[in-house]
């Protein structure tokens, strides 16, 4: 299984069993949504390099990601996918399926460290500017 679509508001999860899935009202769809406002061939889900993507297939009532209508979009874990007016939370782990892990944001200590020049970090030069208090320099010989 490559993830799940979790119906917002309750209902059974829909497993994502293949890396390419058709979604629509037609019985031939991989994910069948039997609602009159869902197009027969509504959208397509594809797993590419660890990430799910959705592509609208010219549906009448549209495909949305987090409330915005899309023609094609990458789906992040936790995104809300709407097929017509039926909303699902996308649940999967991109790293498990080959995506590169994202870098963690820098801590405030790391930001402070990288925000200083090498001379400042070595204590050889103070910060320049209106709020600089001291400047260290070598004594002249």
């Amino acid at each position: 299984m490559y993830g799940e679509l979790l119906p917002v508001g309750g209902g059974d999860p829909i497993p994502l069993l293949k890396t390419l899935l058709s979604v629509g009202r037609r019985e031939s769809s991989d994910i069948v949504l039997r609602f009159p406002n869902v197009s027969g061939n509504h959208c397509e889900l594809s797993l590419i390099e660890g990430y799910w993507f959705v592509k609208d297939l010219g549906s009448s009532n549209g495909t949305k990601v987090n409330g915005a209508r899309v023609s094609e979009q990458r789906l992040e874990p936790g995104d809300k996918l709407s097929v017509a007016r039926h909303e699902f939370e996308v649940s999967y782990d991109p790293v498990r399926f080959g995506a590169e892990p994202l870098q963690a944001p820098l801590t405030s200590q790391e930001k402070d460290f990288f925000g200083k020049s090498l001379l400042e970090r070595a204590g050889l030069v103070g910060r320049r500017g209106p709020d600089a208090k001291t400047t260290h320099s070598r004594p002249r010989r």
Side-chain angles (χ1 to χ4, degrees), residues 2 5 12 17-18 23 48-49 59 61-62 64-65 70 73 87 92 95 99 108 115 126 139:
Y2 298 98
L5 295 179
D12 294 332
L17 299 173
K18 302 187 310 185
V23 179
I48 302 169
E49 295 180 3
S59 66
N61 292 309
K64 294 180 180 179
V65 176
V70 298
Q73 168 117 7
E87 191 174 39
Y92 74 105
V95 175
S108 59

Side-chain angles (χ1 to χ4, degrees), residues 12-62:
D12 294 332
I14 299 171
L16 303 174
L17 299 173
K18 302 187 310 185
T19 58
L20 181 62
L21 297 161
S22 60
V23 179
R25 197 176 64 242
R26 289 190 184 144
E27 292 299 320
S28 60
S29 297
D30 296 307
I31 297 174
V32 179
L33 300 175
R34 294 179 183 92
F35 301 101
N37 62 346
V38 174
S39 295
N41 209 15
H42 199 98
C43 63
E44 181 178 85
L45 298 172
S46 54
L47 186 65
I48 302 169
E49 295 180 3
Y51 288 97
W52 280 103
F53 287 79
V54 63
K55 180 179 181 181
D56 187 80
L57 299 174
S59 66
S60 301
N61 292 309

